[in-house]
Amino acid sequence: DARVTQTPRDKVTEMGQEVTMRCQPILGHNTVFWYRQTMMQGLELLAYFRNRAPLDDSGMPKDRFSAEMPDATLATLKIQPSEPRDSAVYFCASGFSGIETQYFGPGTRLLVL
Amino acid sequence: GESVGLHLPTLSVQEGDNSIINCAYSNSASDYFIWYKQESGKGPQFIIDIRSNMDKRQGQRVTVLLNKTVKHLSLQIAATQPGDSAVYFCAENVGPSGGYNKLIFGAGTRLAVHP
């Protein structure tokens, strides 16, 4: 049963600390999406990768957020420094380019104190 | 994404009844739509999809209806079960935007199934 995996599942940290979230897309998928979900804003797209290249990160605060794909099996989302307003659930999704369906991971629940 | 506020609209149904969850989409050029189910503490799970050249598609216990005239999408769940309790999101593909197919998610509807 192929699925997207994310680590950690939960993260509590203090303001100013660096946070790194990891995602393993479904094997063979060549697109990766990062979303943030909050009660107030719902699901917001942060970044999109195709074949490991970042094609859209317009939804991401550039000063503190960064997203990378070191290889085809790993996507990372980093926040440095973290702030309380970053508290949210961060989802990774993967798919095939040209096919619209996205498959979501279980999310990383981040709490910044 | 759209702002959802602190409270999602909630649909309460009795176990065994049929449920209908509605969604209004924004872009008349959208050509593909998906329904996702999100259970507490989990990621959105794909349920069913439909392309704009169809007006109805059926899955196992679920049916999606598309009315392009009024830009409305609905998800029908037959014989609703307690395990169907979740938040349901519709998403529309607004077409190649910035070189890729971008999904825009609705605010979500909470389905509460009572025994």
Side-chain angles (χ1 to χ4, degrees):
Chain A
D1 183 21
R3 58 184 67 190
V4 176
T5 59
Q6 290 185 246
T7 57
R9 292 298 312 277
D10 290 277
K11 176 72 175 179
V12 180
T13 191
E14 293 185 342
M15 182 174 62
Q17 296 299 305
E18 178 179 298
V19 175
T20 299
M21 291 169 272
R22 295 176 174 81
C23 167
Q24 182 173 15
I26 293 173
L27 186 64
H29 282 186
N30 69 336
T31 62
V32 171
F33 300 80
W34 281 104
Y35 289 89
R36 176 170 60 187
Q37 186 178 43
T38 61
M39 285 295 292
M40 291 303 296
Q41 296 298 325
L43 271 166
E44 300 175 278
L45 179 66
L46 297 176
Y48 165 72
F49 287 77
R50 184 198 301 158
N51 297 324
R52 296 176 54 201
L55 295 190
D56 185 358
D57 60 2
S58 58
M60 211 162 62
K62 302 293 191 304
D63 56 338
R64 299 183 300 107
F65 284 60
S66 61
E68 296 179 343
M69 280 200 74
D71 61 61
T73 64
L74 176 65
T76 62
L77 179 65
K78 188 175 296 185
I79 308 174
Q80 168 62 25
S82 58
E83 298 181 0
R85 59 179 168 153
D86 300 329
S87 298
V89 182
Y90 291 81
F91 289 104
C92 173
S94 72
F96 291 108
S97 60
I99 300 176
E100 302 90 336
T101 310
Q102 298 174 23
Y103 297 90
F104 283 77
T108 294
R109 187 181 305 272
L110 174 65
L111 177 61
V112 183
L113 302 174
Chain B
E2 298 177 24
S3 175
V4 299
L6 293 177
H7 300 288
L8 291 173
T10 298
L11 175 65
S12 293
V13 300
Q14 291 292 123
E15 182 178 356
D17 286 352
N18 296 332
S19 303
I20 300 176
I21 301 171
N22 297 304
C23 176
Y25 62 92
S26 57
N27 192 330
S28 57
S30 293
D31 61 358
Y32 176 74
F33 305 87
I34 306 178
W35 279 101
Y36 284 93
K37 171 187 180 183
Q38 186 175 21
E39 297 174 272
S40 180
K42 298 183 178 180
Q45 177 187 3
F46 173 88
I47 301 174
I48 191 169
D49 59 1
I50 189 168
R51 296 209 170 272
S52 59
N53 60 353
M54 304 172 67
D55 53 21
K56 180 179 181 178
R57 189 168 187 215
Q58 288 185 292
Q60 186 178 17
R61 280 201 309 119
V62 295
T63 301
V64 55
L65 299 177
L66 175 63
N67 185 329
K68 294 181 287 294
T69 302
V70 295
K71 294 189 287 187
H72 184 267
L73 197 66
S74 68
L75 177 70
Q76 300 180 359
I77 304 175
T80 313
Q81 302 169 0
D84 296 325
S85 295
V87 176
Y88 289 81
F89 293 95
C90 65
E92 61 181 304
N93 174 47
V94 298
S97 173
Y100 68 101
N101 291 303
K102 180 181 288 189
L103 287 179
I104 302 297
F105 286 82
T109 296
R110 187 180 306 279
L111 177 65
V113 182
H114 303 286

